[in-house]
């Protein structure tokens, strides 16, 4: 839990006298009247920020889906009217909230970017990568900011750590596939990462870093997707072929760790810690429950007697539903789509595009999207017909 989320959670917990944060989240969502425009107008900017950070960054938002997005939107609309210059910590948390629930407002985002641009000399590479990642989730590629982060990487490459390289390469490698980044930029970063891997053996792995490492490898070397470890090699014409050998060892470690992770777990892995390899796995603090869309799809699959598996591991992804062993159904709730403050859908989360690309590259599965905004307008019979058309 970030410091900002901890502070906002404590503030709201005292205000509403509810100590347990998950229960606090659920109870606030039930009190819709608190988040009507006329009520929100009465509260200060500071209190609005607490609501935005709590609703937009607490893990329970994943279970609450559309309701969390709607409440966060109402708070953001009011905050926009009172928006003032804030610290990087506050600005980054507001942008994180926007990117977590996939809401975009041009004026607000540009003001946040401008304020960070003014303060960038005081920020670390890690801070800048996190901010860049938030923009990326909103499908925004700010070339000026991206170039600045690249320049800091090159000037401070001895200080840039393993996890920072992975985080940045994970973003840029997907932007490369989207045609937004030049191959030469990726190659420059890869050579720096290659030098770091050759100079010291990484000894600390997390579930997030391993997952992102696999993703960046699939972005750079799609030809290795679902290949057995003994058969891993890049195509001769792959521009990044020379770096593959040095990247492969950590890919094997990362993939093996991801394969061992269960859907509801996270882990930390320490390589050769006091002459031992130590794996620490823990259950997620927030257990994922089915969204309304997921529950509806599952009920219909069962009603139609289709063999299906929920949160089934395919490649490195826990797909929503695997049907008949070769059909993947992905349930895209409102939080999968970037929307503006008027509710207009702008685009889908770029991470979803990346996942679909990787899954399709296996050539074993047919991947279909079930989109919330289309699904809710179908009758029960139309939903059944839709599923049958995809599966049969």
């Amino acid at each position: 839990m970030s410091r900002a989320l901890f502070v906002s959670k404590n503030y709201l917990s005292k205000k509403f006298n509810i100590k347990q944060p998950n229960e606090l989240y659920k109870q606030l969502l039930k009190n819709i009247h608190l988040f009507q425009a006329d009520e929100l107008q009465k509260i200060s900017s500071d209190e609005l920020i607490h609501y935005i950070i709590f609703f937009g960054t607490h893990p329970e938002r994943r279970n609450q889906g559309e309701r969390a997005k709607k409440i966060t939107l109402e708070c953001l609309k009011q905050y926009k009217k009172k928006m003032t210059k804030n610290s990087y910590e506050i600005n980054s948390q507001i942008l994180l909230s926007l990117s977590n629930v996939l809401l975009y407002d041009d004026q607000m985002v540009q003001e946040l970017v401008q304020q960070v641009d003014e303060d960038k000399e005081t920020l670390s590479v890690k801070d800048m990568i996190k901010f860049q990642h938030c923009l990326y989730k909103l499908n925004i590629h700010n070339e000026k900011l991206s170039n600045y982060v690249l320049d800091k990487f090159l000037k401070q490459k001895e200080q840039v750590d393993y996890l920072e390289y992975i985080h940045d390469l994970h973003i840029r490698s997907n932007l490369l596939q989207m045609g937004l980044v030049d191959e030469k930029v990726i190659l420059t970063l890869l050579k720096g990462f290659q030098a770091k891997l050759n100079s010291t053996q990484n000894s600390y792995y997390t579930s997030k870093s391993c997952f992102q490492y696999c993703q960046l490898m699939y972005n750079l070397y799609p030809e290795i997707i679902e290949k057995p470890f003994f058969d891993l090699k890049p195509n001769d014409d792959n521009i990044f072929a020379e770096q593959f050998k040095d990247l492969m060892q950590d890919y094997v470690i990362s993939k093996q760790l991801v394969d061992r992770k269960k859907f509801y777990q996270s882990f930390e892995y320490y390589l050769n810690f006091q002459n031992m390899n130590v794996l620490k796995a823990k259950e997620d603090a927030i257990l994922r429950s089915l969204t309304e869309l997921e529950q509806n799809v599952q009920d219909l699959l069962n009603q139609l007697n289709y063999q299906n598996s929920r949160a089934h591991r395919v490649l490195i992804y826990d797909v929503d539903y695997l049907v008949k062993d070769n059909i993947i159904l992905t349930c895209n709730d409102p939080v999968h789509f970037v929307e503006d403050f008027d509710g207009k859908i702008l685009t889908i989360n770029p991470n979803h595009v990346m996942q679909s690309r990787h899954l399709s590259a296996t050539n074993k599965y047919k991947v279909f999207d079930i989109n919330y905004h289309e699904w809710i307008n179908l009758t029960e019979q139309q939903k059944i017909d839709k599923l049958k058309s995809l599966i049969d």
Side-chain angles (χ1 to χ4, degrees), residues 159-172:
Q159 289 76 44
V160 177
D161 69 24
Y162 177 87
L163 297 179
E164 289 164 358
Y165 264 114
I166 292 173
H167 199 171
D168 192 67
L169 280 166
H170 161 257
I171 297 170
R172 292 182 194 264

Side-chain angles (χ1 to χ4, degrees), residues 249-266:
Q249 179 180 341
D250 273 38
Y251 166 68
V252 171
I253 293 172
S254 296
K255 179 65 166 61
Q256 288 177 324
L257 288 168
V258 171
D259 286 345
R260 291 183 63 180
K261 186 183 95 70
K262 296 181 180 178
F263 175 57
Y264 52 85
Q265 286 183 329
S266 60

Side-chain angles (χ1 to χ4, degrees), residues 31 42 74 91 97 136 142 179 188 199 249 317 339 352 361:
N31 291 310
K42 300 174 185 176
E74 293 306 316
N91 285 333
S97 296
Y136 157 77
N142 185 295
T188 299
S199 64
Q249 179 180 341
Y317 300 102
E339 299 177 63
H352 170 76

Side-chain angles (χ1 to χ4, degrees), residues 281-309:
K282 63 179 181 179
E283 292 188 10
D284 293 336
I286 307 295
L287 293 178
R288 275 280 282 115
S289 58
L290 295 180
T291 65
E292 182 181 343
L293 174 61
E294 291 166 345
Q295 186 67 64
N296 191 207
V297 170
Q298 181 170 291
D299 289 343
L300 288 176
L301 289 172
N302 292 337
Q303 178 185 320
L304 296 168
N305 294 318
Y306 284 122
Q307 173 196 351
N308 68 88
S309 176

Side-chain angles (χ1 to χ4, degrees), residues 69 73 76 80 95 98-99 101-110 113 135 138-140 337-344 346-347:
K69 187 168 188 172
L73 171 60
L76 284 163
K80 180 181 175 181
L95 185 63
L98 283 164
S99 68
V101 296
L102 297 186
L103 288 168
Y104 176 79
D105 178 78
D106 188 65
Q107 178 187 337
M108 181 175 286
V109 170
Q110 293 309 318
V113 170
L135 294 177
L138 292 171
N139 213 21
I140 300 169
F337 297 90
V338 181
E339 299 177 63
D340 66 17
F341 280 15
D342 295 321
K344 179 183 177 183
L346 304 176
T347 184

Side-chain angles (χ1 to χ4, degrees), residues 168-193:
D168 192 67
L169 280 166
H170 161 257
I171 297 170
R172 292 182 194 264
S173 62
N174 197 36
L175 291 174
L176 172 70
Q177 294 295 331
M178 297 164 67
L180 297 173
V181 170
D182 191 276
E183 289 177 338
K184 293 178 182 177
V185 171
I186 304 294
L187 193 57
T188 299
L189 281 169
L190 270 183
K191 288 179 178 177
F193 187 41

Side-chain angles (χ1 to χ4, degrees), residues 182-244:
D182 191 276
E183 289 177 338
K184 293 178 182 177
V185 171
I186 304 294
L187 193 57
T188 299
L189 281 169
L190 270 183
K191 288 179 178 177
F193 187 41
Q194 182 183 21
K196 179 164 285 291
L197 290 173
N198 288 334
S199 64
T200 178
Q201 168 64 53
N202 179 54
S203 59
Y204 177 62
Y205 300 81
T206 68
S207 44
K208 180 179 179 180
S209 71
C210 290
F211 185 73
Q212 290 185 342
Y213 197 103
C214 292
Q215 286 185 313
L216 77 85
M217 289 294 284
Y218 297 153
N219 288 337
L220 299 177
Y221 309 101
E223 59 268 32
I224 72 168
I225 289 177
E226 219 170 47
K227 289 282 182 69
F229 291 139
F230 63 81
D231 197 27
L232 292 177
K233 61 179 180 179
N235 291 340
D236 292 338
D237 59 353
N238 190 316
I239 189 174
F240 311 116
E242 288 187 17
Q243 284 69 46
F244 183 80

